[in-house]
Amino acid sequence: MSCVCLLLFACGGNPEIISPDGRTRLSFVTGADGCMAYTVERDGKPLILPSALGLVVQERNLAGGFSVREIVKRSVDETWTQPWGENKILRDCHNEMTAVLKNDDGVLLTLRFRAFDDGVAFRYEWEVPDLDSLTVTDELTEFRFAEDGVSWSIPGNFNTYELLYRELPVSAVENANTPFTFRVDGTYGSIHEAALYDFPEMNLYRTDSLAFKAELAPLPDGIKARIPSKFMTAWRTIQVGDKAVDLINSSLILNLNEPSKIADTSWIKPQKYIGVWWGLHLGTHTWTMGPRHGATTENALRHIDFAAANNIQGVLFEGWNEGWENWGKTQHFDYVKPYADFDLDRIAAYAREKNIELWMHNETGGNIPEYEAALETAMQRYAGLGVHAVKTGYAGGFRDGQLHHSQYGVRHYQRVVETAARYGIVIDAHEPIKDTGIRRTWPNMMTRE
């Protein structure tokens, strides 16, 4: 079911949209200098005060000097089906405002705003003539709260999400990773992002008592991103609700991601799994071969029997493949060759016989060039064994000063999930990955945000 209505305004048109339930209002503002900002109101009260919009690139002006050429509004109300998730049928009901702007540099910038009952979102879409690429050095996006409140977040970090959450006043947060969850004047909310493709992930850094600026994970040379001259960024999202549980039940981020390009998703199945992992951390087993090696043929068959007898669908083994003896050194792993005491073909055959899914573990140790070189061969091998799930790991810094959450990292994660999908394999990321724009393609197990 879908319904779309369009309205076209001249440049003097009404620069605001209201959520379908009438409770949330987003307004777009341009100043005399052509700079841009937005505001958000909830139930007639300010939630986000005028907050800057724009990006900084080396080649052209994307931060100011813009005049509005037209405002286009439309309303969408449709339902779609998830292949896997908490809810099978989701409703995408929102009002959209597209502001088309141009400046003296000839930059055509489109700001696309959407208002849902559960929040608002916006993104930048631009086209720069006479150039093939752009070099992004900063994003000016702000989130300026109207009042102080309480927040829940982890510290800003461009390499990991495995940090302790803290409860702090909004005004006491120096930096944070997203989602940045808050309660302000009775409204629960969360700042995050969606549809993240070929762009660095966003942190928040406080610039004033109640103001935060988007900070993008940089590349080693300090550049934030190198992109085509015709491009669209990830969505910047602000989910809202009356209760904390409303944020959990929100489908805003799912609705902002693109539809799946995979026609047959029957191989994507939820499951419970067990395996050799926790014993490695307790010290009862080891990743490497030896008297206490966890990933052995005997142990694998025993786990498969246990899974089959207890309605558990999958079995995972860490330390099955050669290379763990290099941990903390060269970080070199073989993603195809098992240790001599792990008969991979026999184990896979036995798992198929017992109708148990075998999960392969791929720890990269941060050695991304090596993993990408082996990726195609590894996925092909796993598919031949009947494997439909791979657990990846990124414990360790990336080489050459690359950051996990930079454009380099985002490109790598996308390459992994797309390569795996061609072989009917789901990726379960050991290190949480932000929403990579795979709404209708992948189950939620892909991300932990």
Side-chain angles (χ1 to χ4, degrees), residues 26-250:
L26 184 150
S27 300
F28 171 59
V29 181
T30 54
D33 56 359
C35 290
M36 304 163 292
Y38 73 100
T39 64
V40 179
E41 293 181 2
R42 175 77 168 167
D43 294 330
K45 297 184 292 186
L47 178 64
I48 302 294
L49 296 177
S51 300
L53 294 166
L55 292 105
V56 179
V57 302
Q58 290 182 347
E59 295 82 3
R60 292 288 191 275
N61 181 9
L62 283 176
F66 286 99
S67 60
V68 178
R69 297 304 176 92
E70 63 179 9
I71 300 288
V72 180
K73 292 187 177 182
R74 68 169 188 160
S75 296
V76 173
D77 191 354
E78 63 180 14
T79 58
W80 56 276
T81 302
Q82 283 199 99
W84 191 94
E86 293 89 347
N87 299 296
K88 185 176 181 65
I89 305 298
L90 293 180
R91 184 184 181 189
D92 181 0
C93 181
H94 67 266
N95 294 321
E96 180 182 279
M97 175 175 65
T98 303
V100 181
L101 307 98
K102 197 171 185 179
N103 66 10
D104 292 339
D105 277 357
V107 176
L108 186 63
L109 173 65
T110 298
L111 284 166
R112 192 174 304 276
F113 303 93
R114 289 182 182 175
F116 303 78
D117 289 348
D118 51 344
V120 298
F122 56 89
R123 73 178 179 193
Y124 305 90
E125 306 170 10
W126 64 77
E127 185 172 351
V128 180
D130 307 321
L131 288 175
D132 294 326
S133 61
L134 295 173
T135 308
V136 179
T137 58
D138 197 10
E139 179 173 341
L140 304 180
T141 303
E142 284 185 326
F143 303 88
R144 189 175 293 273
F145 288 91
E147 294 185 21
D148 204 354
V150 63
S151 71
W152 299 269
S153 66
I154 60 174
N157 192 293
F158 292 136
N159 268 326
T160 185
Y161 302 116
E162 295 178 334
L163 300 169
L164 293 177
Y165 275 80
R166 67 267 164 98
E167 179 179 315
L168 292 170
V170 170
S171 59
V173 176
E174 292 297 326
N175 54 70
N177 221 313
T178 66
F180 178 76
T181 304
F182 59 86
R183 184 180 70 237
V184 172
D185 193 22
T187 293
Y188 284 85
S190 184
I191 297 172
H192 198 31
E193 56 187 330
L196 180 62
Y197 293 103
D198 198 19
F199 206 67
E201 297 181 10
M202 176 184 71
N203 279 1
L204 301 177
Y205 279 70
R206 187 159 66 90
T207 57
D208 202 347
S209 60
L210 294 175
F212 295 86
K213 176 185 169 297
E215 188 66 29
L216 305 176
L219 296 166
D221 60 3
I223 298 300
K224 302 302 174 68
R226 291 179 170 86
I227 54 176
S229 58
K230 185 177 182 180
F231 192 77
M232 61 180 64
T233 67
W235 291 94
R236 277 51 186 113
T237 64
I238 308 174
Q239 292 163 279
V240 294
D242 297 322
K243 304 181 296 295
V245 71
D246 294 338
L247 302 179
I248 297 174
N249 293 328
S250 169

Side-chain angles (χ1 to χ4, degrees), residues 63 68 70 88 91 109 142 155 219 230 234-235 241 247 293 318 324-325 334 346 356 399 401 405 416 422 428:
V68 178
E70 63 179 9
K88 185 176 181 65
R91 184 184 181 189
L109 173 65
E142 284 185 326
L219 296 166
K230 185 177 182 180
W235 291 94
L247 302 179
H293 189 204
E318 292 200 9
W324 285 95
E325 60 278 2
D334 192 312
R346 179 186 171 191
I356 297 297
R399 291 187 171 183
H405 305 162
V416 171
R422 293 204 309 271
D428 177 30

